[in-house]
Amino acid sequence: MTIHDLEPQIVWHYFHEITQIPRPSKHEEKILAYIVDFAKKNNLEYKQDSVGNTIIYKCATPGKENIPTIALQAHVDMVCEKNADKAHDFMNDPIETVVDGDWLKANGTTLGADDGMGVAIELAILASDNIEHGPIECLFTVDEETGITGAQNIAADLLKGSTLINLDSEDEGEVYVGCAGGCTTHITVSKQIVPTPAGMLPVEINITGLKGGHSGGDIHLQRGNAVKIAARVAKHLMDCGLFELTSISGGNLHNAIAREACIKGYVVNARREEARIECNIISASLQDELNGVDNGLHISLQTNDDIPTYILEPESAKRLVNGLLATPHGVLAMSNDIEGLVETSVNLASIKESEKDFLITTSQRSSTDSQKILAAQMVQAVWELADAKVDTGDGYPGWKPNMNSKLLKHSVATYRKLFGKEPAVKAIHAGLECGLFLEKYPALDMISIGPTFREVHSPNERVEIKTVGMFWQYVTEMIKSFC
């Protein structure tokens, strides 16, 4: 079975077409051109703002002209993550989809169902001629995954209505009415190097096999963070007097939990076997810690003659490793208002190396703005003590729940009618664009829904096939019965 055999065919048809179009964040030109071409082919009015956000308007079916306008919204960009052994160019190559039992996934890369599935639903509704509806507007935003800059800079004249359904949630049967705000903190650590001492053997230590995941939706699962683990391994070997550090690198995106990392440096040649034993000891300890949570952790040590012939100055290496160890990562606080909701968290997302510096990226999320600021200050304090340069961006606002929302009541009644049970009404720790929409459109009534995704922002990302049909049925029925 392939994606072409799945139902509802119209949704999977458009999702397949989207997977064939490269669309990394900040490089959405090809998918936007596709959407504009779609509007022209279907004789639909469209408009774009200065940053690329695109909206397509569809007139009401006869007799439904007086129904209030309803907007659907999804973002066109995707997180681009792949396994280390996968050859894939996200700027040019299509996504290879695989049907795996009840799920659709990609072959070694992120699938892009976040939020390609929302885009596919919008296109399918615009293309359909058998759905009764009032005026519809389908909004396609850019650059959600690397700062929500599309929503942040949306033009104030795109949306005509005051009701919006965000199609970017990840669990069927759940209606979201609020989300966390967030910000990103960047740390720059100057690289100080000295010649490698005599009698040293160049080695590389790789951390692989972790699940990773979304830094909002998965942060409470306590999965391993490859950057944290790399720092722990480096510190253990350095404290044993066996290792001199050349570099640490790992992680990729600010909103993904780091899955892989690499440590490079030198071990004392005469004690190479002792270094290997100590590496195995710390590896076993870490595997035991993650048992039942992230069972795939693998730490390997091997010689590598391509490592540069220098080491970090020992005191600066110590500051770098200690800073990574001291940086908060994970859940800082749970909500006092909504049971089971993470209130505040930090993600130690990545460390990357340039010729002169190490660049460390962390993200902070909270449904309480003051706690978001405090989390960023905690990160800042750690790295200022290590004499690093720290910069925290303005971030984005949260979305406060409105439990009296008319759209919420309509969505709950529709779900009950279709599926004979109540949907769960929730807030989410991940960031959504809804809070930013309210800055330009303060009267918007909004909810967020979606099919079931798992392990988004990682190469294990997948969508449960049956829930896509339920999602399609749910959205179209809400449109039909909206008044």
Side-chain angles (χ1 to χ4, degrees):
M1 180 179 286
T2 70
I3 191 172
H4 303 290
D5 301 309
L6 304 179
E7 296 286 348
Q9 286 191 354
I10 189 169
V11 176
W12 292 107
H13 164 76
Y14 284 110
F15 183 70
H16 171 71
E17 292 209 345
I18 292 164
T19 65
Q20 304 307 292
I21 304 169
R23 50 192 178 94
S25 301
K26 302 188 187 302
H27 297 280
E28 300 99 339
E29 300 85 3
K30 293 177 182 178
I31 186 66
L32 292 176
Y34 169 83
I35 289 169
V36 168
D37 186 58
F38 170 91
K40 291 177 178 178
K41 287 180 178 178
N42 287 276
N43 298 313
L44 297 169
E45 179 189 356
Y46 73 94
K47 185 187 292 186
Q48 284 186 312
D49 66 15
S50 61
V51 297
N53 298 313
T54 304
I55 194 164
I56 300 177
Y57 306 98
K58 186 175 184 180
C59 296
T61 52
K64 299 284 187 176
E65 294 86 356
N66 294 325
I67 292 177
T69 299
I70 191 166
L72 306 175
Q73 181 268 324
H75 64 84
V76 299
D77 60 316
M78 66 173 284
V79 166
C80 298
E81 284 277 281
K82 66 182 185 69
N83 291 324
D85 60 353
K86 175 68 176 179
H88 187 93
D89 179 0
F90 283 102
M91 291 294 294
N92 296 291
D93 297 341
I95 300 297
E96 305 170 49
T97 58
V98 178
V99 175
D100 183 11
D102 296 332
W103 301 81
L104 183 81
K105 62 180 185 179
N107 180 16
T109 71
T110 38
L111 176 63
D114 172 17
D115 189 23
M117 192 56 69
V119 173
I121 290 286
E122 290 186 274
L123 294 174
I125 286 172
L126 290 169
S128 297
D129 57 8
N130 59 349
I131 303 171
E132 290 187 351
H133 57 80
I136 292 176
E137 42 195 25
C138 287
L139 175 61
F140 305 88
T141 53
V142 300
D143 194 30
E144 191 269 352
E145 298 289 5
T146 59
I148 319 188
T149 62
Q152 190 170 37
N153 295 288
I154 190 171
D157 62 349
L158 284 186
L159 290 170
K160 299 176 181 178
S162 58
T163 302
L164 182 143
I165 303 175
N166 170 277
L167 306 175
D168 192 22
S169 291
E170 300 169 6
D171 282 283
E172 191 282 322
E174 297 182 355
V175 179
Y176 288 89
V177 293
C179 72
C183 61
T184 302
T185 299
H186 297 288
I187 301 105
T188 304
V189 180
S190 297
K191 186 187 294 184
Q192 301 175 41
I193 62 174
V194 295
T196 304
M200 304 294 283
L201 178 72
V203 297
E204 177 177 306
I205 304 169
N206 287 290
I207 292 93
T208 58
L210 296 169
K211 293 179 180 178
H214 192 294
S215 64
D218 296 325
I219 198 72
H220 64 291
L221 299 176
Q222 300 183 324
R223 291 174 178 169
N225 180 305
V227 175
K228 278 283 189 184
I229 289 172
R232 291 179 66 179
V233 172
K235 181 170 178 59
H236 179 76
L237 295 177
M238 290 163 66
D239 287 351
C240 290
L242 296 169
F243 182 71
E244 299 289 351
L245 182 66
T246 298
S247 71
I248 296 182
S249 60
N252 187 17
L253 301 172
H254 78 283
N255 52 7
I257 300 168
R259 297 181 302 106
E260 297 177 342
C262 179
I263 311 164
K264 294 180 180 179
Y266 289 82
V267 298
V268 179
N269 195 12
R271 300 174 65 190
R272 65 167 77 179
E273 188 57 31
E274 185 181 349
R276 190 176 300 279
I277 291 170
E278 290 297 333
C279 189
N280 289 338
I281 289 172
I282 185 68
S283 176
S285 296
L286 291 163
Q287 288 170 344
D288 184 59
E289 287 180 18
L290 293 171
N291 183 41
V293 176
D294 214 340
N295 293 329
L297 173 63
H298 181 67
I299 301 175
S300 63
L301 183 151
Q302 59 271 334
T303 58
N304 183 348
D305 292 332
D306 291 332
I307 293 172
T309 55
Y310 63 78
I311 60 170
L312 299 182
E313 189 278 322
E315 283 301 313
S316 69
K318 184 178 179 180
R319 286 195 298 271
L320 176 64
V321 170
N322 285 345
L324 293 172
L325 288 173
T327 299
H329 173 80
V331 176
L332 299 186
M334 301 298 290
S335 172
N336 293 323
D337 300 317
I338 301 176
E339 185 177 354
L341 175 67
V342 176
E343 181 198 63
T344 307
S345 73
V346 176
N347 178 43
L348 176 54
S350 66
I351 177 169
K352 299 178 182 180
E353 182 182 9
S354 69
E355 183 178 348
K356 296 181 178 180
D357 303 303
F358 292 99
L359 178 63
I360 299 157
T361 299
T362 75
S363 64
Q364 296 77 48
R365 300 178 189 265
S366 184
S367 49
T368 302
D369 193 57
S370 60
Q371 289 295 310
K372 178 184 74 176
I373 294 170
L374 176 60
Q377 289 173 334
M378 292 169 67
V379 173
Q380 180 180 1
V382 167
W383 287 102
E384 285 183 348
L385 288 170
D387 294 326
K389 178 183 176 182
V390 184
D391 177 52
T392 299
D394 293 334
Y396 55 90
W399 167 31
K400 187 176 180 179
N402 174 14
M403 302 310 291
N404 294 316
S405 158
K406 292 181 180 179
L407 179 58
L408 172 61
K409 293 176 182 177
H410 176 60
S411 68
V412 170
T414 302
Y415 193 89
R416 186 191 305 121
K417 172 186 171 183
L418 288 174
F419 305 116
K421 58 182 179 180
E422 297 289 312
V425 178
K426 295 186 174 183
I428 190 171
H429 187 57
L432 294 170
E433 293 157 292
C434 300
L436 286 163
F437 294 148
L438 287 173
E439 294 188 333
K440 297 289 180 65
Y441 301 93
L444 270 182
D445 187 7
M446 295 180 289
I447 62 168
S448 179
I449 56 175
T452 296
F453 300 149
R454 290 293 177 265
E455 307 210 42
V456 298
H457 297 187
S458 83
N460 294 321
E461 178 187 358
R462 57 197 185 274
V463 58
E464 190 175 14
I465 293 166
K466 71 176 182 180
T467 66
V468 173
M470 297 173 73
F471 183 41
W472 169 249
Q473 188 180 2
Y474 187 27
V475 175
T476 54
E477 183 59 35
M478 272 200 285
I479 291 170
K480 290 177 187 177
S481 57
F482 185 69
C483 62

